[in-house]
Amino acid sequence: MRVLVVEDEKKLATFLRKGLLEENLVVDLLHDGAAALERILTRPYDVIVLDIMLPGRDGLSLLQEMRRQHINTPVLLLSARGNVNERVEGLNLGADDYLPKPFSITEVVARVRALLRRASGEHATMMQVDDLSLNVVTREATRDGQKVDLTNREFALLEYLMAHAGRVVSKTTLCEHVWEHHFDTGTNVVEVCMQRLRRKVDEGHTHKLLQTVRGTGYSLRGAG
Ligand code: CA
């Protein structure tokens, strides 16, 4: 899950990034509104944390422009003031949530998590496909009641696939949403991680949840 944080207060931005990284989210950081808009128009994000007072272009006008261009990524607005008008304006322009400063990093992280769950159609902390369950809060995975031990990366990969269960997800999309650094998609980083994940999730089970769609990508599918 890739999050963009747009915040010009460098110290706060660094704290935010750190808090979100601890949640195993992939985090990009920008300090300027104009640069952020350019990025948002060219790269897919799962959630955007957006400060209102920004150099280059303010957060509200950025939000307005991205919604005008039909980019519906969930947005959490941050504001220096507990200004009611600003809050209403932000929500009218299509923000999904609003947090006045000062806030705790824990609260930002919790709200980002909630937006991610909402975006993936999951309202609960549990994700479930057949007998595979994922608790995104305790970060535990079980299949048929048996605990599955996953590394952070494997967990992130599985979480993304479960959020898009039944759909085919390309290798490029997985790189963009699950890995911190971009690498040549010709490398087999995704395949290697997928192999390990498959061994942990599917080995010993009749129905293989993780499927390769040749030439296209991967898909997580229930037996039904
Ligand atoms: Ca600011």
Side-chain angles (χ1 to χ4, degrees):
M1 300 285 183
R2 183 173 283 270
V3 179
L4 175 65
V5 175
V6 191
E7 168 60 76
D8 60 317
E9 289 168 51
K10 302 251 162 85
K11 205 172 151 189
L12 175 60
T14 306
F15 275 127
L16 283 171
R17 183 167 189 276
K18 195 164 165 274
L20 293 166
L21 283 175
E22 280 167 10
E23 286 287 300
N24 293 306
L25 297 165
V26 179
V27 185
D28 289 342
L29 198 55
L30 288 175
H31 307 293
D32 177 277
L37 179 62
E38 205 183 305
R39 177 75 66 87
I40 290 163
L41 296 179
T42 51
R43 281 273 296 278
Y45 286 96
D46 299 295
V47 166
I48 298 167
V49 179
L50 181 61
D51 187 29
I52 291 181
M53 297 284 279
L54 287 170
R57 182 171 197 143
D58 74 89
L60 290 177
S61 114
L62 194 164
L63 173 65
Q64 186 171 31
E65 182 56 23
M66 64 177 273
R67 292 299 188 236
R68 200 182 67 78
Q69 301 216 27
H70 307 292
I71 294 173
N72 298 318
T73 313
V75 168
L76 169 60
L77 275 181
L78 305 177
S79 164
R81 294 155 288 164
N83 184 328
V84 176
N85 291 335
E86 206 175 64
R87 174 166 188 264
V88 170
E89 194 185 348
L91 295 173
N92 280 339
L93 289 174
D96 300 86
D97 201 357
Y98 175 93
L99 206 51
K101 294 176 184 177
F103 45 71
S104 73
I105 300 299
T106 317
E107 177 148 33
V108 176
V109 169
R111 301 237 188 159
V112 166
R113 272 275 163 218
L115 288 178
L116 284 169
R117 282 197 300 276
R118 210 193 294 169
S120 66
E122 277 290 330
H123 295 268
T125 54
M126 292 296 295
M127 299 174 92
Q128 180 98 34
V129 175
D130 279 5
D131 54 357
L132 176 67
S133 309
L134 211 62
N135 185 320
V136 298
V137 175
T138 63
R139 309 193 66 76
E140 280 176 349
T142 60
R143 175 124 196 226
D144 195 19
Q146 301 281 43
K147 194 166 181 294
V148 182
D149 274 313
L150 299 173
T151 64
N152 288 339
R153 186 74 68 196
E154 289 159 2
F155 189 95
L157 182 58
L158 188 58
E159 185 182 10
Y160 193 85
L161 288 167
M162 286 185 85
H164 300 85
R167 278 173 272 173
V168 179
V169 184
S170 74
K171 234 201 279 183
T172 309
T173 302
L174 290 173
C175 285
E176 284 170 350
H177 290 266
V178 179
W179 271 266
E180 178 73 9
H181 300 290
H182 281 259
F183 45 80
D184 181 0
T185 47
T187 64
N188 62 355
V189 178
V190 179
E191 283 149 58
V192 170
C193 190
M194 187 62 82
Q195 263 169 32
R196 285 200 313 263
L197 189 59
R198 192 171 262 147
R199 208 156 44 226
K200 293 179 178 183
V201 170
D202 278 338
E203 210 168 71
H205 295 273
T206 316
H207 177 70
K208 308 298 181 200
L209 289 164
L210 295 162
Q211 298 173 10
T212 303
V213 182
R214 209 159 289 283
T216 313
Y218 301 97
S219 182
L220 190 147
R221 286 173 201 272

